């Protein structure tokens, strides 16, 4: 069947919606939101990093762009969550485009450091921007009864979702599924093959007529936009946002570590990595009452990359090849 | 063949590792729970790692001492008390999940907050949604937008916390008749709030602000900042800084010096044992906020001195890696759960509305003195004290456990000394 | 005017000294990352480990922090040796690109950090030494008073000696030339009968060994706590890249440029813009000279 994957995606979105209606325990939505957000970040990172070999070290900058776009819109126009996410995606996409444009000549580690530099510069600017709270941060109160296209979204009785967290979880889940779909589409398209050629050898790709500059620009824009969409709901999730939490280095680390653990060659890698590392982080921090929770994350990271240097995907592929021989 | 075997081994290794981590974490949690039959559970997140862990670990120990105390007295409503807590890693992102787990999975009966404004904020909507009483630990104005009627906060800075925090410092330096002021603040949440309050107070006093700059937390050396401030010849310098900045500025003051008559105000970290001992005599002359110091007037509070002694003994005995003296947070962390406990016992049930009503209307007697809450669940008046570091001879920690090194300037009812100019106390 | 000159002179002096300190933090990375292409992201956390060792030796035995740093150098050398052994067998041998090792070093970063939290707790720590808190004032005329804090001066001198020694070692000795050859042409080395892996292992261990003295300087200049390494992660990588991969003197110069820029900005514009300015310089340099100030090849890597 030609559209098997698309149908699975749709079913998953429906499944998410059903989950929000059936599961009464809020806890799973909180945890789920965090893991799904990481999934989007990892998937978005992988489009540029996994397919194209360009390591983005400033993922937190894109995420924070989404988050702060949302804050500015809440303060300025008082718009709803979905609009915030769209706007967050647009602005982070523009930032991605600008990043791509500014760093066209940079490769490898130079590119990575340039993205980090951009994130730090952005953080400094946001810290000086008092309209969105500046360095002191700002509180965001979610709307009491948000509506979308005339439909009441969140209300304990009459709304589509009984609770704000269910709504956030559903939105983030939908975004995660969409971004996986986009990543898979790119992987199988001319863009993906072009990026792969760039990863192998940029000079060779250029000689073969691959429009390397254009492909890189497209990839940085898409990747940035996805991170922006993932970041936009952060303000509503935390109800308080300051530059330190929005530009947290943890986002950049996880966005890289998750695809590395899962495997960078395919869309499934970041998904598996996010599920595994995200769950390990949540499980360890919620069941272990001491600093040891961080240790477990460190040990998991080291052990995984040692026994599976090509990521879990690459490792299973190797096993399959090995046993078929 | 061997290759297939090797691959199999790898698969099992992988599966085993993941399973082991889950089982390990599961087993730890089961030992933590399910001991006495039907205790009253109090749940919270706490910064046990990350930037605020110094305060978080200190608070946790104080709360555990409280739990011990209350259980010895028969617990709450005749039931034993159990603390259920998780490390939020000083990352706000972890907080919603933690409170949800506390309420929905661990089924705690009462919740209190973790340490610090941005770690309290993400828990607010959950407390509000579940209509639970929420005790805050050192939050700066968390409730001004929510106006939640069941939130109560222990930072003693009065109904307008940012302004109340530095109120006594400005009253104290007013005696030096300053005309100009320089303001230096860290580029972070708490310090920025302090700065806003300080600017308000300075304007109220009619001081001219000749220098006002923020510094980034990554700053490695502070001498250029102090020099730039000195160049404007301010009469007093108000500093709202985080621990690394506080230490950096104290050292810069020793190296570059200043002609300002008073320096300090909102320097976080100078109350911590490690920094106090490390900086030693360089602290002389600095006037700063504090909450609790070993001055004789503070012994008026019932149980405070005893609590501190027990905390210090516990740290020594168990060789814990937390603040050795514990003046900064211990009494307050003890008090905010104690108030909740007092209210529960007085109301005689776990009815959250009744508990909130009781807390709102009652003047509590605690280890930090009399506590009465006012607007937005903040203190009804400011109780942030101003101390001046005096007569510090060396880097010995013990001297800070005795009266005299941090004399209380204001409030007047517990004052133990007069503010001297910064220069007078430098060698 | 005199006030301006006074401020400017002080800002320059402090900036240069600060640059020396930054160089001490970045020099190890300049070897492991710049020359050997190993993205040792745990390096700043290893520095913090070095700082805690200096703290331990200073607070229990009263040893001078610098001396403590020198004493802990062999430990870091062995640590680096072992880490490279694992890294080589897992990543380099299988031909995996250097970025693969990133997750490995992230994991290492967490493990060291938690180890520090468990052993030392999370409080800020300082050391005592006669040169901390004192300064050397040079008074010129009536109004110009250049104050040189001893703690920065010590950091600068030690950093300069270490950097120059490492640079001399890499350019003057046979082994040093072998290390630099490893970065460029492995085959040639093999033909010369040198085992490139052994060369890389020793060079990596040397890079990590700088964390002993670097960490000691860290605790002399500022208070430390276990997660401090993360704060300086961006800075040290930025300095190495700005200087140009593989260039030790480039690293030193880049560190001084960043130090001076930060100190000038802090004095005249506002300290909170410091990071934006130093990373802005980095971006600008990368835009016009993608290989850094003293990089070996255009668009290297």
């Amino acid at each position: 069947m030609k559209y098997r994957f698309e149908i699975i995606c749709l079913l998953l979105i429906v499944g998410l919606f059903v989950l929000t209606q059936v599961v009464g325990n809020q806890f799973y939505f909180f945890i789920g939101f965090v893991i799904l957000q990481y999934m989007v970040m990892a998937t978005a990172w992988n489009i540029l990093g996994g397919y194209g070999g360009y390591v983005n070290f400033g993922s937190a900058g894109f995420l924070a762009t989404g988050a702060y776009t949302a804050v500015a819109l809440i303060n300025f126009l008082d718009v709803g969550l979905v609009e915030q996410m769209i706007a967050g995606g647009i602005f982070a996409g523009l930032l991605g485009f600008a990043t791509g444009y500014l760093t066209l000549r940079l490769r490898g580690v130079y590119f990575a450091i340039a993205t980090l530099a951009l994130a730090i510069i952005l953080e400094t600017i946001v810290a000086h921007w008092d309209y969105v709270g500046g360095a002191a941060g700002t509180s965001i109160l979610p709307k009491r009864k948000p509506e979308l296209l005339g439909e009441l979204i969140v209300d304990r009785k009459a709304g589509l979702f009984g609770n704000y967290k269910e709504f956030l979880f559903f939105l983030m889940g939908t975004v995660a599924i969409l971004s996986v779909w986009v990543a898979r589409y790119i992987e199988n398209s001319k863009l993906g093959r072009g990026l792969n050629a760039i990863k192998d050898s940029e000079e060779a790709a250029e000689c073969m007529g691959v429009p390397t500059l254009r492909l890189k620009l497209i990839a940085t824009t898409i990747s940035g936009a996805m991170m922006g969409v993932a970041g936009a709901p952060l303000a509503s999730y935390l109800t308080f946002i300051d530059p330190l939490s929005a530009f947290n280095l943890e986002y950049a680390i996880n966005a890289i570590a998750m695809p590395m653990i899962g495997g960078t060659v395919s869309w499934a890698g970041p998904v598996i990595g996010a599920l595994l590392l995200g769950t390990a982080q949540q499980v360890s921090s919620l069941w272990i009452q001491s600093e040891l929770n961080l240790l477990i994350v460190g040990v998991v990271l080291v052990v995984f990359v040692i026994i599976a240097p090509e990521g879990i995907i690459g490792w299973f592929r190797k096993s399959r090849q090995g046993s078929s021989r | 063949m061997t290759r297939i075997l090797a691959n199999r081994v790898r698969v099992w290794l992988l599966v085993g590792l993941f399973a082991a981590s889950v089982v390990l974490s599961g087993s730890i949690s089961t030992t933590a729970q399910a001991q006495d039959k039907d205790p009253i559970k109090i749940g919270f997140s706490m910064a046990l790692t990350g930037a605020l862990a110094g305060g978080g670990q200190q608070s946790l120990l104080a709360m555990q001492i409280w739990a011990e105390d209350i259980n010895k007295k028969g617990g709450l409503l005749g039931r034993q008390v159990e603390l259920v807590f998780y490390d939020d890693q000083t990352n706000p992102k972890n907080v919603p999940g933690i409170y949800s787990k506390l309420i929905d999975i661990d089924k705690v009966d009462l919740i209190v907050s973790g340490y610090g404004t941005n770690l309290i904020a993400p828990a607010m909507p959950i407390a509000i949604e579940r209509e639970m009483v929420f005790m805050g630990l050192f939050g700066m104005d968390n409730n001004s937008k929510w106006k939640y009627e069941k939130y109560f906060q222990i930072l003693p800075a009065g109904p307008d916390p940012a302004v109340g925090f530095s109120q006594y410092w400005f009253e104290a330096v007013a005696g030096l008749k300053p005309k100009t002021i320089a303001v230096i603040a860290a580029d972070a949440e708490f310090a920025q709030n302090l700065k806003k309050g300080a600017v308000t107070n300075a304007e109220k006093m009619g001081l001219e602000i000749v220098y006002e700059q923020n510094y980034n937390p990554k700053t490695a050396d502070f001498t250029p900042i102090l020099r730039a401030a000195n160049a404007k010849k301010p009469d007093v310098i108000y500093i709202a800084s985080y621990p690394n900045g506080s230490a950096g500025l104290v050292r810069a003051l020793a190296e570059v010096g200043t002609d300002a008559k008073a320096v300090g105000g909102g320097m976080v970290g100078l109350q911590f044992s490690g920094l106090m001992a490390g900086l030693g005599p360089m602290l002389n002359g600095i006037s700063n906020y504090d909450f609790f110091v070993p001055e004789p007037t503070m012994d008026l509070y019932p149980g405070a001195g005893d609590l501190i002694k027990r905390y210090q003994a516990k740290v020594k005995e168990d060789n814990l890696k937390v603040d050795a003296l514990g003046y900064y947070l211990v009494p307050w962390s003890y008090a905010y759960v104690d108030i909740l406990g007092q209210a529960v016992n007085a109301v005689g049930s776990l009815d959250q509305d009744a508990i909130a009503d009781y807390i709102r209307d009652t003047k509590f007697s605690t280890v930090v003195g009399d506590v009465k809450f006012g607007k937005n669940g903040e203190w009804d008046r400011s109780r942030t004290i101003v101390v001046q570091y005096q007569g510090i001879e060396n880097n010995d920690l013990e001297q800070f456990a005795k009266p005299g090194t941090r004399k209380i300037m204001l409030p007047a009812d517990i004052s133990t000394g007069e503010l001297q100019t910064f220069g007078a106390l430098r060698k | 005017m005199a006030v301006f000159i006074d401020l400017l002179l002080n800002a320059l002096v402090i900036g240069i000294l600060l640059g020396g300190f930054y160089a001490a933090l970045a020099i190890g990375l300049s070897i492991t990352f710049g020359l050997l292409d190993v993205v040792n992201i745990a390096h700043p956390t290893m520095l913090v480990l070095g700082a805690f060792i200096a703290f331990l030796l200073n607070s229990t035995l009263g040893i001078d922090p610098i001396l403590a740093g020198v004493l802990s150098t062999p430990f870091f050398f062995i640590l680096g040796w072992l880490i490279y052994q694992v890294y080589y067998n897992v990543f380099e041998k299988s031909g995996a690109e250097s970025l693969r090792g990133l997750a490995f070093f992230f994991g290492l970063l967490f493990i060291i950090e938690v180890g520090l939290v468990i052993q030392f707790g999370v409080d800020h720590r300082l050391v005592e030494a006669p040169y901390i808190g004192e300064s050397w004032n040079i008074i010129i005329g009536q109004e110009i008073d250049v104050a040189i804090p001893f703690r920065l001066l010590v950091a600068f001198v030690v950093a300069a000696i270490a950097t120059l020694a490492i640079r001399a070692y890499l350019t003057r000795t046979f082994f040093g030339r072998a290390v630099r050859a490893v970065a460029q042409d492995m085959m040639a080395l093999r033909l010369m009968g040198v085992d490139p892996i052994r060369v890389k292992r020793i060079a990596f261990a040397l890079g990590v060994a700088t964390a002993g003295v670097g960490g000691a300087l860290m605790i002399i200049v500022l208070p430390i706590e276990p997660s401090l390494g993360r704060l300086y992660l961006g800075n040290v990588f930025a300095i190495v890249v700005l200087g140009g991969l593989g260039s030790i003197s480039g690293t030193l110069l880049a560190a001084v440029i960043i130090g001076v820029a930060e100190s000038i900005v802090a004095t005249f514009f506002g300290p909170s813009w410091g990071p934006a300015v130093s990373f802005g310089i980095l971006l600008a340099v990368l835009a016009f000279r993608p290989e850094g100030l003293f990089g070996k090849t255009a668009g290297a890597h």
Side-chain angles (χ1 to χ4, degrees), chain B residues 214 218 221 251 255 321, chain C residues 119 135 151 220 232 272:
Chain B
N214 302 335
K218 286 190 185 80
D221 183 65
R251 280 177 168 177
E255 289 156 355
K321 312 280 192 236
Chain C
Q119 190 53 43
S135 64
R151 87 197 133 90
I220 289 171
Y232 284 89
S272 58

Side-chain angles (χ1 to χ4, degrees), chain A residues 25-28 30 34 37-38 127-128 135-136 138-142 156 163 237-240 242 245 248 250-251 276 282-283 285-291 293 296 303-304 307 315 318-319 322-323 325, chain B residues 3-4 7 10-11 13-14 17-18 21 24-25 28-29 32 48-49 57 84-87 89 91-94 96-98 100-101 104-105 118 121-122 125-126 129-130 145-146 187-189 192 196 218:
Chain A
N25 200 329
Q26 299 273 305
F27 169 65
Y28 300 104
F30 284 94
V34 174
Q37 192 184 34
Y38 276 138
H128 283 86
T138 185
S139 290
I140 301 293
L141 264 44
R156 200 170 285 179
N163 183 293
Y237 179 75
L238 296 179
T239 71
F240 177 87
D242 64 341
S245 42
N248 204 319
E250 205 167 293
Y251 290 114
L276 216 74
Q282 294 298 325
V283 165
S285 68
L286 282 176
W287 272 272
I288 299 173
Q289 295 177 328
S290 71
E291 51 278 294
N293 64 59
I296 288 193
V303 172
F304 263 94
I307 59 173
W315 183 61
K318 217 191 266 165
S319 322
S323 45
R325 240 171 243 168
Chain B
R3 178 138 187 205
I4 300 171
N7 276 322
R10 275 173 164 196
V11 175
L13 250 175
L14 194 77
L17 187 82
F18 190 65
S21 66
L24 181 74
S25 46
I28 290 175
S29 74
L48 302 178
T49 52
Q57 297 212 355
V84 185
F85 57 90
Y86 302 105
D87 175 18
Q89 300 167 6
N91 188 344
K93 200 172 178 165
N94 295 325
I98 288 174
S100 177
K101 176 160 195 286
D104 293 330
I105 310 262
N118 45 4
I126 302 170
E129 196 190 315
R130 307 307 170 91
K145 274 197 185 171
W146 293 104
D187 229 351
E189 170 269 314
Q192 287 295 307
K196 276 178 204 159
K218 286 190 185 80

Side-chain angles (χ1 to χ4, degrees), chain B residues 18 40 82 113 155-156 169 188 194 204 226 231 248 268-269 271 276 284 292 323 350 362 366 377 379 403 409 420 423:
Chain B
F18 190 65
I40 286 188
E82 183 192 324
S113 87
L155 177 82
W169 190 83
L194 295 195
K204 236 187 267 170
L226 187 64
V268 180
Q271 305 82 358
M276 267 194 293
N284 283 328
F292 196 94
D323 193 283
L350 287 169
T362 311
T366 72
W379 276 55
M409 308 289 116
Q420 301 180 45

Side-chain angles (χ1 to χ4, degrees), chain B residues 179-332:
Chain B
K179 291 195 178 60
T180 54
I181 183 169
V183 182
I184 300 170
D187 229 351
E189 170 269 314
F190 192 68
Q192 287 295 307
N193 276 315
L194 295 195
K195 185 182 100 170
K196 276 178 204 159
V199 167
T200 309
N201 280 323
E203 280 164 358
K204 236 187 267 170
M205 260 174 76
L207 294 178
E208 185 196 347
I209 300 171
V210 290
Y211 180 87
E212 183 189 340
Q213 285 295 345
N214 302 335
Y215 72 85
N216 186 278
K218 286 190 185 80
T219 308
D221 183 65
F222 290 81
T223 45
I225 301 173
L226 187 64
R227 228 164 225 297
N230 277 346
K232 304 283 184 189
K233 308 216 180 301
D235 293 331
V236 293
I237 303 178
Y238 185 86
I239 301 173
S241 54
Y242 276 20
N244 65 335
S246 302
L249 281 160
V250 169
R251 280 177 168 177
L253 281 167
E255 289 156 355
V256 175
T258 182
D259 294 330
K261 287 181 219 144
V263 183
M267 303 176 81
V268 180
L270 299 189
Q271 305 82 358
F272 302 168
S273 303
L275 285 191
M276 267 194 293
L279 294 168
M282 280 183 239
L283 290 167
N284 283 328
I286 289 173
S287 48
N288 202 22
Y289 82 94
D290 215 317
F291 299 121
F292 196 94
V293 286
E295 291 291 300
T297 51
M298 281 233 147
D299 275 342
L300 297 174
Y301 301 161
D306 179 51
L307 168 67
I308 293 277
K309 268 187 210 119
R310 281 171 58 206
Y311 170 91
Q312 290 171 354
K314 218 171 170 117
V315 173
K316 232 180 220 164
E317 257 169 48
D318 303 345
N319 196 21
L320 298 172
K321 312 280 192 236
V322 294
D323 193 283
L325 300 181
Y327 292 117
Y328 190 53
L329 274 169
V330 166
W332 308 89

Side-chain angles (χ1 to χ4, degrees), chain C residues 142-155:
Chain C
Q142 293 265 300
E143 296 182 53
I144 294 171
D145 170 11
V146 180
I148 301 175
F150 281 144
R151 87 197 133 90
L152 284 179
L153 189 63
V154 166

